[in-house]
Amino acid sequence: MTKPIAPRESRESEISLAQLRGYCARMAPHWVVPAVAVPAPVPPSRIHGVVVPASSARLLDNMSEYGD
C-alpha cells in the first residue's frame, strides 16, 4: 500500500522560519545584485518647458527650508 501524498500546504508548513532564514542565508551569495548606475545631474540649461503654478511657487517660497 502506498502512502498518500500530502497536500502542498502541509508540506510547506513543516519548514520553520529559522530553517527558511537559513536557506535564504545560504542562497544570498548566489544572488547577483546589479550595480546601480547613478544618473548624471541635468544642467538647468537643458530643462525646458517646466511650468510651476504661482500658488505652488508661493507655497515653497514660504517654507523656510526651501526659501531661506
Side-chain angles (χ1 to χ4, degrees), residues 60-61 63-68:
L60 292 178
D61 192 34
M63 297 175 80
S64 64
E65 61 266 19
Y66 293 106
D68 293 339

Side-chain angles (χ1 to χ4, degrees), residues 17-33:
L17 181 58
Q19 288 173 313
L20 182 59
R21 291 178 65 196
Y23 295 152
C24 292
R26 285 190 292 280
M27 286 302 298
H30 301 285
W31 294 331
V32 178
V33 179

Side-chain angles (χ1 to χ4, degrees), residues 24-62:
C24 292
R26 285 190 292 280
M27 286 302 298
H30 301 285
W31 294 331
V32 178
V33 179
V36 178
V38 178
V42 176
S45 61
R46 295 199 59 206
I47 300 174
H48 299 288
V50 176
V51 178
V52 178
S55 59
S56 296
R58 282 193 304 273
L59 175 69
L60 292 178
D61 192 34
N62 291 326

